[in-house]
Amino acid sequence: MGEIIEHDDNENALPSVHVGENNLPVPLKVYQDVYHQVTGRTEQIRQRYSQNLLIDFSEVEQLHHKIKQLCDIHKIVASNEAISIFHDKDRKEQFTSFERFRLYNANASSPSVTVVLKYNFSIIPAGLDRPQEYVVTIRLISRIAILSKIESEAPPFVRGGIYGFMAGNTAEVTIEYADYVIARGFLEAIDDWIRGCKSEPDMGWAKFLQRWSHLLPKTIKLIAAAAIIFFALQAVPIFITNLTDPQLWARFIILFGGSFYLIINLAEITGSMIEDAIDSFTVISYLNLNKGDKKLIDDFNNRKNRVIFKFVLGCFLTILLGIISSKIAEII
C-alpha cells in the first residue's frame, strides 16, 4: 500500500525579513537584491588640494548649493547627507542635514579642525532602469588649527619647517561611483568651487627658503669666520713689522682670537634666529565658523608680524656682525 505524502504550497515560500520603522515584511530575495545593489562594489576617485583656502560659513553654503544644483540634472530616487565638524581636543559634532547645520553654535570657543560633508545619492542614469549608488565626501581642513595642534603636541627639538609639510592639504574630495561621467561632473563642480573660493596666494619663495633654512646657521658662521680671517690677514702688514712692540703683538692675537670666537658664535645664534623665522612663516588657510576660529586666526596674524620682525632683526644683526668684523683692526 502506497503512502501519500502531501506538500504544502506555503513550504516553498521564500522566508521574509522585517525592515523599517513600521517593521514591514520583505521577501529575503528582494532584500538580498537591494543589499547587493546598495553595497555593491564601486570605483573611487580622490582629489587633494593644497590651496590656501579661507573658508567661512558662506563658502560652505555655496559648496552645498553647487552639489544640490548638480543633482537637479540627474534622476535621484533617494539621497541623504551628513555634515560633521571635528574640533580641537577630539570633539565632534554631527548634523543629519544642512538645514540642521545652519543651527551650528557659532559662539563655540573650540577651533574647527575639519569639516566633512558626505552625500549619498541613488541615481538612475539616462537609458537605464536600475539605480546606481554614489557617495561624495568633501573634507575641508583648517591648516592653522592643524599647525596649532601639532605645535602643542610635538617635542621641542622638532624643527618648525616640518609642521608646514605635515599640514599641507586643505581640502580632499573622495567620490565612490559606478559611472565615471557622473562622478566627473561632481568633481568638476567642486573644482570650480575651489577656484572661486577666497584664498591666500601661494608663496613659492617661502617654501624654497624653508627647504634650505637648516643650512643658514652654519653658512653664516662660516662667512663670519672667513671675514675675520680676511681682515686679520689685511692687518698683518700694518701691525706685524720688525719694529712691532711685543705688547702690540699680544693685543693683536688676543683681539683677533677673542673676536673670532665671539663673532662666529654670535653669527650662529643670528643664523638660528633667521632659520626659526623662516620656518615659522606660514601662509594661513583656515575654517572660520566660530569664535574659537576667529581667535586662532588673529593669533596667527599676530604671529606673522612677529616672524617678519624676527627675520628683519636677524638680517640686521648679521650685517652688524659683518661691519664689526671689518672694524676690528681699527680697535688695536
Side-chain angles (χ1 to χ4, degrees):
M1 183 177 179
E3 183 178 354
I4 299 176
I5 301 177
E6 295 183 358
H7 295 274
D8 190 352
D9 290 339
N10 292 330
E11 187 175 324
N12 293 325
L14 291 175
S16 62
V17 294
H18 296 272
V19 298
E21 294 181 357
N22 296 326
N23 204 28
L24 297 175
V26 176
L28 181 59
K29 183 65 169 65
V30 175
Y31 179 82
Q32 289 175 339
D33 289 342
V34 172
Y35 176 81
H36 289 301
Q37 177 69 25
V38 173
T39 63
R41 186 176 180 181
T42 58
E43 304 296 333
Q44 186 181 91
I45 184 172
R46 177 174 295 174
Q47 179 72 42
R48 292 186 175 95
Y49 303 88
S50 59
Q51 286 90 329
N52 307 306
L53 304 177
L54 310 179
I55 300 173
D56 55 18
F57 186 84
S58 64
E59 296 285 359
V60 179
E61 195 170 30
Q62 289 178 13
L63 174 59
H64 176 71
H65 286 324
K66 274 189 173 292
I67 298 296
K68 288 302 183 181
Q69 288 172 358
L70 189 60
C71 292
D72 292 339
I73 66 175
H74 299 295
K75 185 179 180 181
I76 299 178
V77 295
S79 67
N80 62 64
E81 61 201 41
I83 294 89
S84 302
I85 302 182
F86 296 86
H87 293 276
D88 193 15
K89 299 180 182 178
D90 299 325
R91 188 166 66 87
K92 175 185 176 182
E93 291 185 61
Q94 186 165 326
F95 305 87
T96 56
S97 69
F98 200 86
E99 295 304 320
R100 290 181 177 272
F101 178 56
R102 294 179 193 276
L103 303 176
Y104 170 68
N105 181 19
N107 292 320
S109 60
S110 183
S112 307
V113 178
T114 308
V115 173
V116 179
L117 295 89
K118 186 174 182 179
Y119 300 88
N120 296 280
F121 301 112
S122 185
I123 300 175
I124 299 180
L128 298 179
D129 57 0
R130 295 187 63 184
Q132 298 174 344
E133 308 308 315
Y134 294 81
V135 181
V136 179
T137 305
I138 306 166
R139 185 182 301 273
L140 306 175
I141 303 164
S142 173
R143 179 180 292 156
I144 61 174
I146 294 290
L147 287 174
S148 178
K149 186 174 182 179
I150 293 174
E151 289 174 358
S152 64
E153 297 177 354
F157 59 82
V158 177
R159 291 178 57 242
I162 297 177
Y163 300 152
F165 293 106
M166 295 174 68
N169 295 325
T170 54
E172 180 181 285
V173 179
T174 304
I175 302 176
E176 299 177 21
Y177 65 92
D179 188 324
Y180 178 77
V181 175
I182 296 177
R184 187 66 190 176
F186 282 106
L187 187 59
E188 288 178 356
I190 298 170
D191 279 337
D192 183 65
W193 176 80
I194 292 286
R195 289 191 297 268
C197 193
K198 291 183 291 185
S199 63
E200 285 282 334
D202 199 10
M203 296 184 181
W205 59 267
K207 291 183 178 179
F208 175 81
L209 291 177
Q210 288 173 350
R211 185 174 299 173
W212 302 102
S213 63
H214 63 284
L215 299 176
L216 274 175
K218 292 184 179 179
T219 301
I220 295 177
K221 184 177 179 180
L222 289 174
I223 292 174
I228 294 173
I229 293 172
F230 172 78
F231 292 121
L233 292 175
Q234 293 293 316
V236 167
I238 300 175
F239 296 102
I240 309 301
T241 63
N242 293 331
L243 301 177
T244 300
D245 187 349
Q247 292 184 0
L248 192 60
W249 277 59
R251 290 177 59 190
F252 179 86
I253 294 172
I254 293 172
L255 181 62
F256 275 97
S259 299
F260 184 85
Y261 177 80
L262 289 175
I263 289 178
I264 62 171
N265 282 282
L266 289 174
E268 185 175 19
I269 294 173
T270 302
S272 298
M273 181 185 300
I274 298 175
E275 177 194 11
D276 183 63
I278 292 173
D279 289 346
S280 300
F281 183 83
T282 304
V283 181
I284 63 173
S285 175
Y286 57 71
L287 298 172
N288 186 8
L289 302 177
N290 59 41
K291 287 186 176 180
D293 294 326
K294 292 179 181 178
K295 182 179 179 181
L296 190 60
I297 292 167
D298 291 339
D299 289 344
F300 266 78
N301 284 327
N302 294 333
R303 178 189 298 191
K304 183 184 292 186
N305 295 331
R306 292 195 298 270
V307 166
I308 293 174
F309 173 77
K310 194 174 184 179
F311 177 80
V312 173
L313 178 62
C315 293
F316 172 77
L317 292 177
T318 301
I319 296 173
L320 183 62
L321 288 175
I323 295 174
I324 294 174
S325 300
S326 66
K327 300 297 183 180
I328 291 177
E330 298 178 6
I331 300 176
I332 301 179

